[in-house]
Amino acid sequence: QMQLVGSGGGLVQAGGSMRLSCAASGRTVTSYAMGWFRQAPGKEREFVAAIGRYSGITYYTDSVKGRFIISRDNAKNTVYLQMNSLKPEDTAVYYCAASRGLGTDPNLSLYDYWGQGTQVTVSS
């Protein structure tokens, strides 16, 4: 079993930055591909970013490319999502997730473990 605890959300003005953290326990983040997803009110959960299991290759949805960065700190067993140039449309609950797969698949059904979600609100 793997437990994921997300943190770092809050309220920020448009154009600002925020860093989300996802602390893992029970398993190491290097044993899984790690991803971030988000869900806005009334919308389906969508893929944001992922980092490959061994390769460390990253992949982003088009709407966050150049603004968000996913990274992994193996010593802290934590995955981060650095979010820059935030927009009101980035407002959502953000979830971290872990997949036994090797790559950076955006399909949420392939993720095995999920964090509890952290709210990010971007004001205009």
Side-chain angles (χ1 to χ4, degrees):
Q1 287 287 345
M2 186 181 203
Q3 292 78 42
L4 301 172
V5 178
S7 62
L11 175 65
V12 64
Q13 288 189 330
S17 297
M18 182 178 289
R19 189 178 76 162
L20 304 183
S21 299
C22 176
S25 61
R27 295 286 188 273
T28 61
V29 294
T30 53
S31 299
Y32 293 83
M34 301 296 297
W36 285 95
F37 293 78
R38 65 186 179 187
Q39 188 167 16
K43 295 187 177 181
E44 293 185 350
R45 193 171 298 187
E46 65 174 2
F47 171 80
V48 176
I51 185 166
R53 183 174 175 180
Y54 298 120
S55 66
I57 292 174
T58 57
Y59 179 67
Y60 301 90
T61 192
D62 286 345
S63 62
V64 308
K65 282 180 182 177
R67 300 190 297 123
F68 290 13
I69 301 172
I70 185 171
S71 62
R72 183 172 60 197
D73 186 329
N74 297 341
K76 295 183 178 180
N77 210 29
T78 298
V79 176
Y80 302 98
L81 185 68
Q82 176 67 43
M83 304 184 294
N84 303 318
S85 302
L86 282 161
K87 304 175 181 179
E89 51 263 43
D90 294 319
T91 295
V93 177
Y94 283 72
Y95 298 88
C96 61
S99 169
R100 294 187 183 94
L102 296 175
T104 54
D105 204 301
N107 187 343
L108 63 83
S109 67
L110 298 180
Y111 286 77
D112 304 288
Y113 301 104
W114 291 83
Q116 84 283 10
T118 183
Q119 176 71 47
V120 173
T121 303
V122 184
S123 63
S124 57

